[in-house]
Structure formats: C-alpha cells, structure tokens
Amino acid sequence: MYKKITTIFGDGIGPEVTQQSIKVLNAIGEVFGHEFEYERALLGAEAIDATGTALPEDTVAKALNSDAVLFGAVGDPRYDNDPHAKVRPEQGILGIRKALQLYANLRPIQTFPSLHHLSPIKFKQKEGIDFVIYRELTGGIYFGEKYTAEDGSKASDACTYTREEIERISLLAFKAAMQRRKKLTLVDKANVLETSRLWRKVVQNMAADFPEVSVDYLFVDNAAMQIILNPAQFDVVLTENMFGDIISDEGSVLTGSLGLLPSASIGNSTALFEPIHGSYPQAAGKDIANPIGSILSAAMMLDYFGMQQEATAVRNGVNWTLENGFVTKDIDPINFYFTSTIGDLICDYVQGKAVESINKGNIELRKSTII
Ligand code: IPM
Ligand code: MG
C-alpha cells in the first residue's frame, strides 16, 4: 500500500521523537511491502520563526492532501510566560485541529506490566487498567468567544457546544464501547454547567440506541479522584475538550511516564497522530526524550490505515524494549538508553534482526553521573 504522510516535527523534542517513528514506519514498510512517503510541514514556534504565523496555509494544504499527519509537539518557553504575545505556538495545533475538523481525540491509557513499579500511585488493582479517553477537540471553552476589556480589567472565554458537536463524538465513543468492554462514562460538570447538561441529554438519548452499553455519569472533580483511586473501573471515558485535556494528563501518570502515551485525532478529513506529551524544551536535542508516545501514535496510524498486523508488530517491539530494560531517562534515570537507540531497537525488532540474541553490552548504555 502507498500512503502519504505529512510530518510536522514542531517544537522542542518534537523532531527527535518523530524521527524515531519515521524510522519505525520505514522498517514496517520494508517488512510488509508498503511505501510511506513523507512531506514535512511547519507548525508552532518553528513556523513562527520561519513565517511569522503558527500555522502556515501551506501546512493545512499539505495535511489535507495526505493520508495522515504525524505530529511531534508544540510549545516554546519564549512564549509561555509572556501574556502579551500576539502569536503563540499553540495557535498552530488548535488551528490545525479546527481546519481538519479533528473533533475526536482518542487517548488510550494502558499500563505496561513491566513498568508497574514506576507508577507513583499504589493501586490495589494494577492489572486491568485499560481505558480510552474520547476527548472532544474542536469545541468548548477552547474555541468559544474570547474577550479582554481594553483596559485589561476583565476577560472571558465562553464555553459553547451544539447538539451536533456532542452527537458526533458520542457516537464514536458508543461504537468504541461496543468493541471493548461495553462501558461508557460521561465526565462532565452537569451540577453547574449548561453545556454539561446538554452533554448529558445527548448521551442519555443515544444510550437508548446502545442497550448493551452500560453508561454512567461522573462529575469531573469526582472523575479526577476516581482515576487515581480505581482506574480499572473505566473503559471508554467520554468528555468535553478542557476536561479531557486535564484528565488525560492525569491518566498518563498511571502508566509511569507521560512520555509513553499516544493519541489519534480524527474527524471528517485527514486524521492526525501525536504523542500526548508536550515539547519538553529542557530535553530538546539531547537524545534523551522518550520516543514511545510518538511510536505508539504511529501504531495508531497503522490501525487507521487498516494495517492491524503492522500495528501489532510495532506494539510488540515497544513491549519488547520495555520488558528488556531498554528505556529512556524518564523511566530509568540511572541506566538509560538514547531516544535514537530505542528507535533503532524497535526497528530491529520489527525486522526480526537477532532480537533473541541481543547483547545489552553491545548497545550504548548511558549511565547517569548523578547518583
Ligand atoms: C494537548 C495539549 C494542547 C491542548 C495544548 C498544547 C494546546 O495540552 O494536546 O493536550 O491543550 O489541547
Ligand atoms: Mg494537554
């Protein structure tokens, strides 16, 4: 199969993690006989530096003209602490989500048995944590009307949802629940917010069409607590844009590192795949960032292309590295391997290159000097 992929490296560690995914995709292409063609496009601070805007038109055009977008990260400390900045890197990612109508952001949260010891949380039930957050991505407070009074004394961000915006993602979430453990949890704040009450009505109506799915409703404050207390209760978690942003970072710590988690954003045209971590500028260019979030995002892209076997090969490669202690600094700050080494090892695994007899001594291990 031939697939054209727009690659957006973005900021911070974006380039180095995305390059590992490209290597892994190429290995998959070789083994399974596919051709992946890549076209680079700019977004975020790198785009502001080059063109003055966080989302050049050319980037949207390239994305629309491809089968999928592989995205790195966005964010730059030069803008983070400057409330006066007229352009911001984040406008790039928000803009492309809107331009491609990527209304559903899927964030699977799964723990890796080999990393259970790393979770800062001691759960009674570590096995069986496997849920997916369906986060609405093109509406709500992120995209509502914004206002700042001229004298700077007042500001507001409106949170708006239409029934149709809620329906289209809810339908995907119900369908996903049918393929999984048939449980759907709507996370909202219906005791306070009108928009949340609309979410409840829509989901309650739709539940009638999916009698096999058991539906429950949690207020977001309670959900934040439940994710820590009893994460195994969740299967599909459906929620609006900002709540989804917050609880997905929370969910990620269950696994041991934010660097491990992938996401897929889908909508009416080209889908986009990106790790859920940010640009981690302190690590940029040091070859120490965790590439697994990006590589698993590439696996989700393969699923999306209908290449299930290929996606499984990538996931098996990831599990193999984790089980054998080939991990980056976020996971083992003393005995850690480079970003690029992890990428190479997953390629080797995919290509079946002497994985059984791999000798750790031959692989460059970076020992931290800080003990
Ligand atoms: C995410 C990020 C973005 C968001 C930022 C970079 C705008 O936190 O994808 O979770 O808030 O959606
Ligand atoms: Mg976020």
Side-chain angles (χ1 to χ4, degrees):
M1 237 188 252
Y2 165 84
K3 295 286 178 193
K4 186 165 179 182
I5 301 167
T6 300
T7 52
I8 301 178
F9 289 176
D11 307 324
I13 57 168
E16 58 212 82
V17 295
T18 311
Q19 267 146 6
Q20 307 317 310
S21 291
I22 293 174
K23 280 196 308 210
V24 171
L25 286 170
N26 286 340
I28 288 286
E30 229 177 272
V31 173
F32 290 87
H34 302 302
E35 191 194 337
F36 299 121
E37 188 190 325
Y38 309 95
E39 189 169 33
R40 270 203 64 188
L42 300 178
L43 189 151
E46 62 158 2
I48 298 176
D49 290 341
T51 69
T53 149
L55 180 61
E57 273 171 31
D58 164 74
T59 297
V60 176
K62 282 177 177 161
L64 286 171
N65 186 33
S66 58
D67 294 299
V69 178
L70 184 62
F71 183 79
V74 73
D76 188 302
R78 283 178 293 163
Y79 303 90
D80 288 346
N81 300 319
D82 176 10
H84 303 288
K86 287 271 179 293
V87 283
R88 301 188 162 277
E90 289 77 7
Q91 289 162 346
I93 185 70
L94 298 178
I96 200 165
R97 286 173 183 169
K98 201 71 176 174
L100 302 182
Q101 278 296 301
L102 301 171
Y103 62 82
N105 182 222
L106 283 52
R107 299 188 162 184
I109 313 269
Q110 267 168 334
T111 48
F112 297 88
S114 51
L115 302 181
H116 277 169
H117 60 287
L118 286 176
S119 175
I121 293 152
K122 292 191 178 45
F123 350 86
K124 290 178 207 98
Q125 212 185 336
K126 274 194 189 174
E127 304 301 329
I129 296 174
D130 175 7
F131 60 96
V132 56
I133 299 174
Y134 272 66
R135 168 188 176 195
E136 201 291 326
L137 204 59
T138 51
I141 198 166
Y142 272 58
F143 291 95
E145 204 175 306
K146 298 187 180 299
Y147 163 79
T148 302
E150 257 169 50
D151 67 358
S153 63
K154 194 176 161 191
S156 70
D157 299 274
C159 181
T160 309
Y161 269 109
T162 64
R163 180 174 279 274
E164 195 223 330
E165 283 173 324
I166 303 170
E167 270 167 359
R168 59 187 181 178
I169 182 167
S170 300
L171 187 59
L172 291 185
F174 271 103
K175 284 185 179 164
M178 285 299 290
Q179 302 298 318
R180 295 174 50 101
R181 301 196 307 278
K182 300 191 170 56
K183 182 171 178 200
L184 184 143
T185 305
L186 175 67
V187 170
D188 64 23
K189 189 73 185 171
N191 51 346
V192 178
L193 302 177
E194 286 297 336
T195 42
S196 287
R197 290 192 270 272
L198 184 57
W199 275 82
R200 273 204 192 197
K201 281 184 209 150
V202 169
V203 169
Q204 272 164 3
N205 280 343
M206 200 171 281
D209 299 333
F210 294 89
E212 283 175 63
V213 177
S214 81
V215 182
D216 64 0
Y217 304 89
L218 285 184
F219 297 142
V220 63
D221 46 353
N222 185 19
M225 188 169 71
Q226 294 298 327
I227 286 174
I228 302 297
L229 287 180
N230 180 14
Q233 71 182 288
F234 296 112
D235 180 18
V236 174
V237 175
L238 169 64
T239 191
E240 62 96 70
N241 203 343
M242 188 156 76
F243 297 157
D245 179 44
I246 297 168
I247 65 168
S248 58
D249 268 30
E250 188 193 10
S252 77
V253 300
L254 301 173
T255 65
S257 172
L258 180 64
L260 294 164
L261 291 182
S263 85
S265 302
I266 58 176
N268 298 332
S269 57
T270 318
L272 179 147
F273 300 84
E274 61 171 315
I276 83 158
H277 62 66
S279 61
Y280 191 16
Q282 305 85 331
K286 295 187 181 159
D287 205 19
I288 57 168
N290 195 334
I292 303 282
S294 176
I295 293 171
L296 290 176
S297 301
M300 291 183 87
M301 177 188 289
L302 294 171
D303 281 332
Y304 173 77
F305 290 155
M307 301 178 183
Q308 261 74 41
Q309 238 191 313
E310 292 83 336
T312 303
V314 174
R315 292 191 178 106
N316 288 346
V318 166
N319 290 337
W320 179 83
T321 56
L322 296 176
E323 279 157 18
N324 286 282
F326 296 118
V327 293
T328 41
K329 199 175 179 185
D330 49 318
I331 292 181
D332 187 340
I334 310 290
N335 295 317
F336 61 88
Y337 292 80
F338 290 113
T339 311
S340 51
T341 309
I342 303 296
D344 291 341
L345 284 167
I346 295 173
C347 289
D348 286 351
Y349 183 93
V350 163
Q351 291 166 321
K353 280 192 199 153
V355 163
E356 298 307 322
S357 60
I358 217 145
N359 177 353
K360 275 196 176 178
N362 294 337
I363 298 166
E364 194 180 359
L365 172 70
R366 177 74 189 268
K367 287 252 186 207
S368 172
T369 47
I370 311 152
I371 298 184

